[in-house]
């Protein structure tokens, strides 16, 4: 039934921001339960694409379908979790209070705050006021909010930026586990070494998808030793400059 519909289907998406084109005809599909990476340098359009997926971005043309519905449909509200790049939690509430507040707004089960706080490894900080958390802890509270209600699609904008390698590893393990349970994840990063942890990568540059495939196939197709090298070769193939 629903599972035959891709989690996300984007066709010829064009977006203009500040009077300038920033996405030029993006197209891709994400299967249910897949872990898709959106990789590319700062300013290439990752956040804009994610905004279109959650339905807050005005688009110039093209279609964005999420779980079979037009992006941003009211019916999708509880089915899609979004963690913005800048943490959006209340500084004067504790971790637990933030999560209980957002759970109430979303109509998520009462047991959810306890579940998500453990999933992101913040159990010890449950009663700490958010304003006093470290950057990495704040990032994890932000992620925990997105996990409330067990959404079918998670859109996570640079969720591992600023985290130490151990935490990054733990979060990628959590993403993998969620995908294993059938959640679809779209995770952006500008750090190439994270790319290898995904099932599939969209390599973006300047508002376009340079390549779309499994990390291993991108590496072998370009003959590069690593994904950073693959990215550089793809740019050169296209006749672009790396400057
Ligand atoms: N509010 C805005 N107004 C005008 N231009 C914007 C705005 N936000 C982002 N942009 C531009 O859109 C492009 C893509 O930005 P963004 O999607 O944030 O990229 P990324 O997330 O990959 O860093 C950039 O050139 C950026 O300068
Ligand atoms: Mg961004």
């Amino acid at each position: 039934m629903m599972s035959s519909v891709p989690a996300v289907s984007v066709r010829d998406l064009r977006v203009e921001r500040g009077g300038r084109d920033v996405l030029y005809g993006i197209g891709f599909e994400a299967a249910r339960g897949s872990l898709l990476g959106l990789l590319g340098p700062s300013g290439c359009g990752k956040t804009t694409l994610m905004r279109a997926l959650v339905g807050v971005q005005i688009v110039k043309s093209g279609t964005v379908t999420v779980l079979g519905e037009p992006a941003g449909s009211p019916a999708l509200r509880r089915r899609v979790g979004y963690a913005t790049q800048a943490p959006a939690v209340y500084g004067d509430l504790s971790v637990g209070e933030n999560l209980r507040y957002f759970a109430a707004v979303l109509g998520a089960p009462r047991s959810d705050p306890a579940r998500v706080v453990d999933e992101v490894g913040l159990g010890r900080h449950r009663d700490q006021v958010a304003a006093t958390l470290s950057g990495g802890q704040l990032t994890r509270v932000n992620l925990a909010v997105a996990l409330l209600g067990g959404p079918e699609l998670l859109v996570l904008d640079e969720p591992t930026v600023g985290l130490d390698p151990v935490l990054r590893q733990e979060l990628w393990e959590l993403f993998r586990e969620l995908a294993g349970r059938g959640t679809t994840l779209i995770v952006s990063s500008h750090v190439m070494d994270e790319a290898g942890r995904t099932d599939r990568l969209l390599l973006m540059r300047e508002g376009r998808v340079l390549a779309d495939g499994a990390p291993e196939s991108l590496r072998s197709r370009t003959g590069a030793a690593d994904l950073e090298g693959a990215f550089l070769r793809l740019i050169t193939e296209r006749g672009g400059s790396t400057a």
Side-chain angles (χ1 to χ4, degrees):
M1 204 190 57
M2 286 303 290
S3 54
S4 62
V5 177
V8 168
S9 170
V10 175
R11 297 225 177 106
D12 199 28
L13 175 65
R14 290 167 198 274
V15 173
E16 188 184 287
R17 296 185 85 173
R20 213 166 52 80
D21 284 339
V22 296
L23 294 182
Y24 302 85
I26 301 265
F28 70 95
E29 282 193 353
R32 297 257 184 165
S34 62
L35 177 43
L36 179 77
L38 217 59
L39 268 282
S42 193
C44 72
K46 302 181 295 296
T47 297
T48 305
L49 176 54
M50 291 187 144
R51 285 164 51 87
L53 293 176
V54 299
V56 299
Q57 179 64 54
I58 293 171
V59 309
K60 196 166 161 186
S61 63
T63 57
V64 183
T65 310
V66 172
L67 306 168
E69 311 265 354
S73 300
L76 291 174
R77 231 184 102 198
R78 294 186 194 175
R79 300 174 67 199
V80 178
Y82 177 38
T84 54
Q85 206 167 340
V89 297
Y90 293 104
D92 54 350
L93 298 186
S94 72
V95 171
E97 286 166 345
N98 265 292
L99 291 169
R100 284 198 295 279
Y101 170 75
F102 287 110
V105 170
L106 282 167
R110 291 179 73 91
S111 55
D112 256 24
R115 173 181 66 85
V116 299
V117 93
D118 287 337
E119 279 182 337
V120 301
L122 278 180
R124 289 196 306 132
H125 299 277
R126 198 183 309 258
D127 299 320
Q128 192 172 333
V129 170
T132 64
L133 295 170
S134 72
Q137 290 162 346
L138 212 48
T139 302
R140 283 183 284 153
V141 182
N142 198 42
L143 175 60
V145 173
L147 295 172
L148 288 168
E152 291 159 68
L153 171 68
L154 272 170
V155 178
L156 309 177
D157 202 353
E158 309 224 14
T160 59
V161 162
L163 300 185
D164 68 62
V166 175
L167 272 175
R168 283 208 286 165
Q169 162 91 1
E170 282 176 13
L171 282 186
W172 279 103
E173 278 164 15
L174 171 62
F175 300 160
R176 174 61 56 205
E177 192 189 312
L178 289 165
R181 286 192 243 146
T183 307
T184 310
L185 293 93
I186 301 190
V187 181
S188 72
S189 176
H190 66 271
V191 185
M192 281 296 153
D193 67 3
E194 304 228 271
R197 301 177 184 274
T198 61
D199 294 330
R200 195 171 126 217
L201 274 183
L202 293 186
L203 283 183
M204 287 182 68
R205 185 167 190 258
E206 294 176 351
R208 292 187 168 87
V209 174
L210 270 188
D212 175 355
E216 193 42 53
S217 79
L218 291 181
R219 230 178 343 237
S220 58
R221 212 181 73 196
T222 55
D226 54 26
L227 284 164
E228 189 110 33
F231 188 71
L232 290 172
R233 285 195 190 180
L234 287 162
I235 291 170
T236 321
E237 267 175 29
R238 295 268 180 129
S241 94
T242 56

